[in-house]
Amino acid sequence: MDMQYGIAKSKSCLISDIARGLDENIKLNYTIERLCDNLNNLTDEEITIINDNYIKEVKDLFDDEAIAIFDDSDIAKRYGKKFEDLDDVLDASSLKKEIVPGYHVCEAVVLTKKEKQPISLYSKIYSCKSENFISMNKYTKDSIDKVRSVLNRKCNMIFDRGYDDNKIIDYVDKNEDYFVIRINDDRTFYFKNKKRKCYDVAIRRKGKVKMTLWFDDNEKRDVYVSHTKVVLPYNKKDYELVIVYGLSEERPLILLTNRSIKNKEDVIRVVRLYFYRWRIEEYFRAKKQEYEFENIRVRTLKSMNNLNLLLTVHMGHIGKLAESIDKKLLVIKIIEKSKSLRSMVL
């Protein structure tokens, strides 16, 4: 409870800021030491209890056919020296896309029914240099399993092109969940009984379906969409290839899905499902910019993941409040009290 209060008040992942937010009547160092010790000494049983309580709070926020989004991020520790098992990561926030010391973060969020708020169900900080590391796909599969266990029903799973992998497609397919994956241009399919690269198929077609996409700052863009049936060579299964023209002058955006496409509305739905992926980008941005997630300074991976869990719980509660923004008096009062100025100033 101290950590939840401190994170909410300080809007920071720094233990010193959280300790200042608690404003205890003792020396600041004593509060910092207590929080660090408790964070590192959380048992597996206690972590399970915290996570289970959190899941009970948020599991009713999702639609019958929920939208789950999977993505990887990173924590850049450019000048870090003493952190446990520092890895080499691509700093996505740098203009030059530099390789720097840091950690990988595997995240899975599910969008709420009404406001489409991203609620994290799985978040794992890991290093490929850790002794117990197996593979990146293991964390992806763990995140898929977590979403399945919470929802306990069929859902739409959305992946970017970093997940264009036969093992991931098979893993989603076997439970008969829907998926939409952005495909790499050099992926090959059987198209009309001939093996061809998907990019070669895409540039020879024309978008017959017009649709409008809205971006930040009310930017509107008209795009054109086409679709065709293809067969994956490794499993001989039929899928739908969806091609979006007009987002870039150079290359079309190519999606693969196991959803059935029978009409214009179906193909538009697939494209809109994929573009919900930006919700997880906004979630990462909030963690990094609003809560200084990259500035996390506990040294062990265990403490980092425990702190990450507590931040996930905090952000999940914010998402729950946002989902009830027009319904509950408590939410209305919280928003009203948080405003810096009254509606009328005499």
Side-chain angles (χ1 to χ4, degrees):
M1 293 301 295
D2 280 351
M3 290 293 290
Q4 287 297 300
Y5 181 85
I7 290 171
K9 187 173 179 181
S10 66
K11 292 184 68 177
S12 173
C13 282
L14 286 172
I15 301 297
S16 56
D17 289 343
I18 294 170
R20 289 187 182 94
L22 294 176
D23 196 23
E24 295 181 335
N25 193 26
I26 58 174
K27 287 185 178 180
L28 182 65
N29 282 349
Y30 294 163
T31 304
I32 293 173
E33 287 175 9
R34 187 187 82 245
L35 294 178
C36 287
D37 288 344
N38 289 340
L39 196 65
N40 193 54
N41 294 332
L42 276 174
T43 66
D44 291 343
E45 182 182 359
E46 290 168 334
I47 292 168
T48 300
I49 291 171
I50 293 170
N51 190 59
D52 287 349
N53 288 339
Y54 167 66
I55 294 301
K56 288 176 184 176
E57 286 282 316
V58 300
K59 69 182 303 181
D60 294 331
L61 298 175
F62 311 126
D63 215 338
D64 290 339
E65 194 181 293
I67 301 170
I69 309 169
F70 302 81
D71 206 357
D72 284 325
S73 183
D74 59 83
I75 298 176
K77 290 293 183 187
R78 190 179 295 267
Y79 305 108
K81 301 291 184 184
K82 301 292 185 179
F83 294 100
E84 179 185 8
D85 295 334
L86 269 175
D87 202 352
D88 297 321
V89 299
L90 177 67
D91 186 2
S93 60
S94 71
L95 295 176
K96 297 180 180 179
K97 306 298 181 187
E98 301 168 280
I99 302 296
V100 299
Y103 299 99
H104 304 279
V105 183
C106 179
E107 194 96 30
V109 304
V110 178
L111 303 186
T112 58
K113 299 175 189 176
K114 179 186 171 186
E115 300 293 332
K116 299 297 186 250
Q117 293 292 325
I119 304 291
S120 180
L121 297 187
Y122 181 92
S123 186
K124 181 73 173 180
I125 302 170
Y126 67 93
S127 167
C128 299
K129 295 184 179 179
S130 294
E131 186 177 344
N132 60 352
F133 175 77
I134 298 174
S135 71
M136 290 185 173
N137 272 352
K138 178 190 180 299
Y139 295 107
T140 301
K141 290 177 179 179
D142 286 347
S143 65
I144 292 171
D145 290 342
K146 182 65 175 181
V147 169
R148 283 175 175 165
S149 68
V150 173
L151 296 178
N152 198 27
R153 59 185 180 273
K154 200 165 186 174
C155 71
N156 297 286
M157 297 189 173
I158 315 301
F159 303 88
D160 202 19
R161 56 185 159 192
Y163 293 87
D164 180 11
D165 186 314
N166 293 339
K167 294 176 183 176
I168 300 302
I169 292 173
D170 268 346
Y171 202 71
V172 178
D173 246 353
K174 77 175 186 180
N175 203 50
E176 299 183 347
D177 286 304
Y178 295 125
F179 69 76
V180 179
I181 299 179
R182 185 175 178 181
I183 296 297
N184 292 307
D185 289 350
D186 57 356
R187 163 77 83 159
T188 58
F189 296 96
Y190 285 117
F191 175 73
K192 295 183 178 179
N193 296 321
K194 293 183 179 179
K195 199 170 184 179
R196 299 172 65 180
K197 287 187 178 181
C198 63
Y199 180 72
D200 294 335
V201 173
I203 60 175
R204 285 171 171 76
R205 300 181 67 84
K206 295 181 179 179
K208 295 182 179 180
V209 177
K210 182 180 178 181
M211 65 179 293
T212 301
L213 294 173
W214 292 86
F215 298 91
D216 289 342
D217 302 321
N218 290 324
E219 179 190 352
K220 182 176 74 170
R221 187 175 299 182
D222 291 330
V223 298
Y224 295 86
V225 184
S226 180
H227 70 96
T228 184
K229 287 191 179 297
V230 294
V231 177
L232 275 180
Y234 83 98
N235 65 3
K236 304 298 187 294
K237 286 187 177 181
D238 290 340
Y239 296 97
E240 292 280 357
L241 202 67
V242 177
I243 307 140
V244 184
Y245 306 89
L247 287 171
S248 166
E249 294 181 0
E250 299 176 359
R251 309 182 84 82
L253 182 146
I254 307 171
L255 307 173
L256 185 73
T257 182
N258 59 352
R259 291 188 66 96
S260 174
I261 296 179
K262 298 178 180 178
N263 51 44
K264 174 182 175 181
E265 287 70 28
D266 289 342
V267 73
I268 288 176
R269 176 168 172 75
V270 169
V271 176
R272 294 207 183 282
L273 281 171
Y274 174 75
F275 278 97
Y276 276 126
R277 198 190 69 78
W278 288 107
R279 292 291 187 176
I280 200 169
E281 300 289 351
E282 292 168 352
Y283 184 83
F284 284 139
R285 184 172 61 186
K287 286 180 79 169
K288 290 183 176 182
Q289 294 183 3
E290 299 295 329
Y291 292 95
E292 299 185 84
F293 185 55
E294 277 194 310
N295 206 15
I296 195 169
R297 292 184 190 175
V298 289
R299 292 183 179 180
T300 67
L301 275 168
K302 179 183 178 181
S303 292
M304 287 182 201
N305 276 300
N306 289 345
L307 183 54
N308 186 34
L309 171 61
L310 295 172
L311 177 60
T312 296
V313 171
H314 169 71
M315 294 185 72
H317 284 137
I318 291 178
K320 185 174 181 179
L321 287 172
E323 182 70 1
S324 306
I325 196 165
D326 296 324
K327 295 179 181 178
K328 293 187 178 179
L329 182 61
L330 173 63
V331 179
I332 295 169
K333 289 294 183 183
I334 289 172
I335 294 171
E336 181 183 320
K337 294 296 182 183
S338 69
K339 291 180 179 177
S340 58
L341 294 175
R342 292 170 291 173
S343 56
M344 290 182 64
V345 179
L346 300 178

